[in-house]
Amino acid sequence: TTTTLGVNGNTSIIGSMSFNGTSTKTVSLTGNLSGTGLIDMSGSSLLHFLNLAGSTNSIGSYSSGIGSTVKYTLNGNQTVFTSDNYKNLSITGSGVKSLISDISASGILTMSSGDINSSGNILKVTNSALTAINRTAGTIIGKLQRAIAVTGGDYLYPIGSATVYNPLKLNFQSISSGPLTAQFIPSCI
């Protein structure tokens, strides 16, 4: 069973918004997200979804749980709220999604539309699986850090600029696991 909640207009969270109970929750916010409160998607260890369609998004703190997904869905520019605790992060809306600080995703980064601009910050994918980035469209403009631990397959870095997609694929024959950061710098070509 899935419980769905849609909120039209802006949302300010002062206390907490908790995804709990015995069913998967999908919450869709059509306006801007703000507040000093907590979004807690860890309830009942379920696969919850938070769909954000506002242009500005910020929150005091965030807890993702084991399989929750935050989707940025606006067909336009959006800010990405700061957290080192994203599980799955999904970019489905067109436009540029801009980081306002470093963020980390420990599950899957899905890019099906739109670009991500790190804005001088670092987008970190801490899942070392080769499939931790699932890209069909879009570019990461700026720094992308991936956890590296697997040999014999391609690690995709879907990097580039606002006008050029210049992906990097790395295949290691032997490796010491750890993070590896890449950035496309057009002036270096």
Side-chain angles (χ1 to χ4, degrees), residues 9 19 30 33 35 53 57 88 100 116 118 135 137 144 152-153 156 158 164 167 170 178:
F19 291 62
T30 63
L33 171 66
N57 299 284
N88 299 312
I100 53 178
I116 302 171
S118 72
R135 180 216 176 258
L144 169 63
L156 171 64
V164 175
L170 297 173

Side-chain angles (χ1 to χ4, degrees), residues 19-25 40-48 64-68:
F19 291 62
N20 51 25
T22 58
S23 64
T24 298
K25 308 289 189 293
D40 182 359
M41 296 179 72
S42 64
S44 302
S45 299
L46 296 170
L47 305 179
H48 301 297
S64 66
I66 63 164
S68 295

Side-chain angles (χ1 to χ4, degrees), residues 142-157:
K143 295 177 183 176
L144 169 63
Q145 182 180 95
R146 292 196 65 173
I148 304 294
V150 177
T151 59
D154 290 336
Y155 278 99
L156 171 64
Y157 285 76

Side-chain angles (χ1 to χ4, degrees), residues 83-107:
S83 179
D84 282 333
N85 194 24
Y86 283 96
K87 181 62 176 180
N88 299 312
L89 178 61
S90 181
I91 307 300
T92 61
S94 63
V96 177
K97 313 311 175 191
S98 297
L99 307 187
I100 53 178
S101 185
D102 292 356
I103 66 166
S104 297
S106 62

Side-chain angles (χ1 to χ4, degrees), residues 60-80:
S61 60
Y62 171 72
S63 178
S64 66
I66 63 164
S68 295
T69 299
V70 176
K71 289 184 181 182
Y72 289 85
T73 63
L74 179 69
N75 286 323
N77 297 342
Q78 290 182 280
T79 57
V80 176

Side-chain angles (χ1 to χ4, degrees), residues 2-17:
T2 299
T3 303
T4 302
L5 172 66
V7 179
N8 293 321
N10 296 335
T11 302
S12 180
I13 299 173
I14 304 302
S16 64
M17 179 172 73

